[in-house]
Amino acid sequence: MSLALDATQLDRYSRHIIMDEIGPEGQAALLSGRVLVIGAGGLGAPVIQYLAAAGVGTVGVVDDDVVERSNLQRQVIHADSDIGLPKVESAERFVERLNPDVTVETHHCRLTPDNAESIIEGYDVVVDASDNFPTRYLVNDVCRLAGIPIAHGAIYKFEGQLTTLVPDGPCYRCLFPEAPEPGTVPDCATTGVLGVLPGTVGCLQATEAVKLLLDTGEPLIGTMLCYDAMDLTFERVPYRQNPACPVCGDDAIDGIEAVEYTGGCQVSSD
Ligand SMILES: [Zn+2]
């Protein structure tokens, strides 16, 4: 894509362009950037909103759900009139209204071991805004094999977690070698979630995605940022690459065929 921004873009992105750290080159990088957002729910909503506002030229959205009334307390890109629509369609409508520079690529499906590689391929950054462990492990593994960085976020009631996984840093499996048994970590529908919480965490994920596209700042590599909304505290917890990690360690897998994305989501040794 050419660096030439038109007059409307110079106006729209002027608060980016006047900063030395971004400038017209940085804005052009955002406009040619491709970010895939896994999940158009609580975390995905603010991610999609801010990526689109920032002028990230292509935003892919993967989600198989439809908008429900109980989503609207936190999923800010969906409106009352969208109830019953696929979330990817509602997300696309939202972005069309917000910024005509942005193309939304909708993937109205669940991410599965069969489709993950073909969906993720070709994106510059993946934002994991999913709500379940099998998807997180799948995103980690496929992105690691494809060399694509991930802005990861997760939420639980009043707490959020955030980390950034880059191809030469530790991966999600270095942090959590296995998934908790299904049913042991209840979801938002069971436990509830503070409506503004995913806004905070999703905005931080979008921040990381934008920084990665701009190649500026310090991504949250090897660090888990733990946010507690009740106490309004942020804690940074460092973690290291595990040399025995089956996905990024010394004897890493070269495909996801050996991985069972159920239960502990472990890589079987053959
Ligand atoms: Zn690893």
Side-chain angles (χ1 to χ4, degrees):
M1 174 166 176
S2 96
L3 281 183
L5 304 175
D6 65 29
T8 307
Q9 291 173 325
L10 289 171
D11 186 13
R12 176 182 284 272
Y13 308 115
S14 58
R15 303 305 188 271
H16 273 164
I17 292 165
I18 56 169
M19 291 194 284
D20 292 341
E21 294 84 350
I22 300 181
E25 300 78 12
Q27 189 61 51
L30 294 179
L31 285 163
S32 61
R34 296 176 51 80
V35 178
L36 181 68
V37 184
I38 315 283
L43 293 171
V47 171
I48 292 163
Q49 183 173 29
Y50 275 95
L51 293 181
V56 172
T58 305
V59 176
V61 183
V62 187
D63 199 296
D64 69 335
D65 270 346
V66 297
V67 178
E68 295 177 34
R69 187 169 285 107
S70 63
N71 300 149
L72 305 180
Q73 157 254 26
R74 61 197 181 285
Q75 302 183 13
V76 292
I77 61 172
H78 308 304
D80 204 70
S81 56
D82 298 321
I83 292 170
L85 273 186
K87 287 186 182 177
V88 290
E89 208 174 298
S90 172
E92 186 176 32
R93 284 190 189 186
F94 178 91
V95 172
E96 276 170 3
R97 270 174 45 87
L98 176 60
N99 189 349
D101 286 342
V102 181
T103 302
V104 175
E105 294 179 345
T106 60
H107 305 276
H108 185 207
C109 56
R110 258 190 112 70
L111 200 73
T112 67
D114 291 331
N115 66 21
E117 284 160 304
S118 65
I119 289 175
I120 286 172
E121 187 184 21
Y123 286 97
D124 300 313
V125 179
V126 169
V127 178
D128 184 356
S130 69
D131 61 357
N132 65 87
F133 286 97
T135 303
R136 291 174 190 140
Y137 283 88
L138 178 61
V139 169
N140 177 73
D141 299 350
V142 171
C143 286
R144 178 59 52 137
L145 289 164
I148 299 169
I150 305 166
H152 167 85
I155 50 172
Y156 179 74
K157 293 174 81 172
F158 296 92
E159 293 168 25
Q161 290 185 335
L162 192 86
T163 190
T164 299
L165 309 161
V166 298
D168 56 356
C171 82
Y172 188 72
R173 288 182 185 276
C174 295
L175 185 59
F176 299 118
E178 30 177 311
E181 277 306 307
T184 57
V185 179
D187 62 10
C188 288
T190 317
T191 60
V193 62
L194 183 68
V196 298
L197 174 72
T200 306
V201 177
C203 279
L204 291 171
Q205 289 178 273
T207 306
E208 288 292 271
V210 166
K211 281 162 55 188
L212 288 165
L213 290 177
L214 292 171
D215 194 20
T216 191
E218 291 294 325
L220 196 57
I221 300 166
T223 303
M224 177 69 93
L225 184 68
C226 301
Y227 168 55
D228 184 330
M230 279 299 208
D231 302 334
L232 221 303
T233 53
F234 288 91
E235 188 185 355
R236 294 173 74 100
V237 180
Y239 63 93
R240 289 173 186 281
Q241 190 154 26
N242 171 13
C245 175
V247 172
C248 75
D250 299 334
D251 188 21
I253 55 171
D254 53 15
I256 60 167
E257 298 74 21
V259 191
E260 198 71 62
Y261 292 99
T262 53
C265 297
Q266 281 164 294
V267 179
S268 63
S269 48
D270 37 29

